[in-house]
Amino acid sequence: MERSYAITLKNETQSEQAERNPIAGSGTPTQNGDSGGVASWRKGVAKGIVTFNSYVMPFVDQLVTQRISTISLRTGAEELQEKASFVYSAIKTGVGLIESVLIGGLVGNLPGAIIGGLMSISTTAISYANKAQTLNLQRSVESMSLRNMEIRAGGSLATFSGSRGRSQ
């Protein structure tokens, strides 16, 4: 009883490669048959965002930052300058979050938008944590510096507690 087996190899990757060109923007139709309606719209929005961030935002950022940084010099109101700087920073953070969600949505639909938003929020949280750590370190250094200046000036905890008064 002899059995014969046949192994057949079929190269089906050729047709897939023709549909999915590895070169971005090659204009080949996508797998679902959309020849560019939604894909070209997404591509146009993405180009618009990149163009805006690369060419327009640097000019706007410089102008606004310069105006904010000179509020104290022009008006003498340092608190107003700090508030304006905080508001501008918050606006930039919000715009960055919206951009991340939008670009994530363009690239990966709903999951991409969620991931883009989470990445933006986590980056902002890390930034705030770093700023808080820097402020705590500055507070600690300032406290030590004040303590050392007090000791050099002749005052210390022992002096103020009345320890010298009892022995004299």
Side-chain angles (χ1 to χ4, degrees):
M1 190 177 224
E2 242 181 82
R3 293 188 182 174
S4 65
Y5 296 98
I7 297 175
T8 307
L9 298 175
K10 238 177 167 179
N11 186 0
E12 295 179 351
T13 59
Q14 197 68 15
S15 62
E16 286 182 22
Q17 286 179 351
E19 289 178 8
R20 292 185 299 162
N21 195 334
I23 300 172
S26 63
T28 58
T30 58
Q31 284 184 332
N32 61 1
D34 187 348
S35 63
V38 174
S40 67
W41 175 81
R42 288 181 177 186
K43 186 176 173 182
V45 171
K47 280 184 180 181
I49 291 172
V50 169
T51 301
F52 181 78
N53 284 337
S54 299
Y55 297 110
V56 177
M57 254 332 261
F59 291 109
V60 172
D61 190 41
Q62 282 185 6
L63 291 173
V64 173
T65 302
Q66 194 275 335
R67 283 300 278 185
I68 289 174
S69 66
T70 58
I71 289 175
S72 176
L73 294 173
R74 287 183 278 119
T75 64
E78 291 183 23
E79 286 184 15
L80 179 63
Q81 180 175 334
E82 288 178 14
K83 287 178 184 177
S85 178
F86 175 75
V87 168
Y88 183 61
S89 175
I91 289 171
K92 283 177 61 173
T93 302
V95 168
L97 173 65
I98 292 169
E99 285 178 1
S100 295
V101 169
L102 184 62
I103 290 174
L106 290 172
V107 171
N109 296 330
L110 180 63
I114 292 171
I115 291 171
L118 289 175
M119 292 301 293
S120 180
I121 289 170
S122 63
T123 302
T124 302
I126 290 170
S127 172
Y128 285 153
N130 287 339
K131 285 179 185 178
Q133 186 177 13
T134 301
L135 287 174
N136 286 336
L137 185 59
Q138 287 173 342
R139 187 179 304 126
S140 173
V141 168
E142 182 181 15
S143 174
M144 289 177 60
S145 175
L146 289 173
R147 206 173 310 132
N148 287 337
M149 286 192 300
E150 184 179 280
I151 289 171
R152 282 194 299 269
S156 68
L157 185 61
T159 304
F160 294 117
S161 67
S163 64
R164 289 188 181 192
R166 283 180 282 185
S167 63
Q168 291 179 348

